[in-house]
Amino acid sequence: QVQLAESGGELVQPGGSLRLSCAASGSIFRFTMAWYRQAPGKERELVASISSSGNTKTYGDSVKGRFTISRDNDENTGYLQMNSLKPEDTAVYYCNIALGRASFWGPGTQVTVSS
């Protein structure tokens, strides 16, 4: 059972940047990794995903050009670099890893974009 822990969520002004981290308790090199977010009263949405090798990345339309997903399999850690943040990016951000039918979630980290 792999445990995940997100970190890096903070209060930031519009236009600012944050880097979220997702640290795993064990090896993640076989797993696809993704970041999701959920704002109050809204459904959880996929923000970005990255293949096990890191060669393939996808992004939700609302974050394309602003967010970058990456991973360091040697450190068992994934990252989400968020630039040009907007108030609508405010949400709890969750890290997810998956392989076949196995799926693991972190507890989330709060990102608040406000002036």
Side-chain angles (χ1 to χ4, degrees):
Q1 196 92 335
V2 179
Q3 293 182 315
L4 305 176
E6 302 95 339
S7 63
E10 295 179 8
L11 171 65
V12 64
Q13 294 185 0
S17 298
L18 287 174
R19 189 183 73 162
L20 306 183
S21 298
C22 174
S25 63
S27 177
I28 62 167
F29 76 94
R30 295 183 181 89
F31 290 80
T32 295
M33 179 174 286
W35 288 90
Y36 291 77
R37 67 186 182 187
Q38 187 167 27
K42 296 185 177 181
E43 295 183 353
R44 185 172 298 185
E45 65 171 330
L46 177 64
V47 176
S49 66
I50 185 169
S51 62
S52 59
S53 67
N55 291 333
T56 303
K57 302 175 182 180
T58 64
Y59 298 94
D61 289 339
S62 63
V63 306
K64 283 182 179 177
R66 299 189 297 121
F67 290 11
T68 303
I69 189 170
S70 62
R71 64 191 294 165
D72 187 334
N73 288 339
D74 290 336
E75 295 184 352
N76 295 321
T77 303
Y79 303 95
L80 183 68
Q81 178 67 44
M82 305 185 295
N83 299 326
S84 301
L85 284 163
K86 305 174 181 179
E88 50 262 45
D89 294 319
T90 296
V92 177
Y93 284 71
Y94 299 91
C95 180
N96 171 264
I97 60 171
L99 176 63
R101 298 179 65 182
S103 181
F104 303 94
W105 294 87
T109 185
Q110 177 71 50
V111 172
T112 302
V113 185
S114 176
S115 59

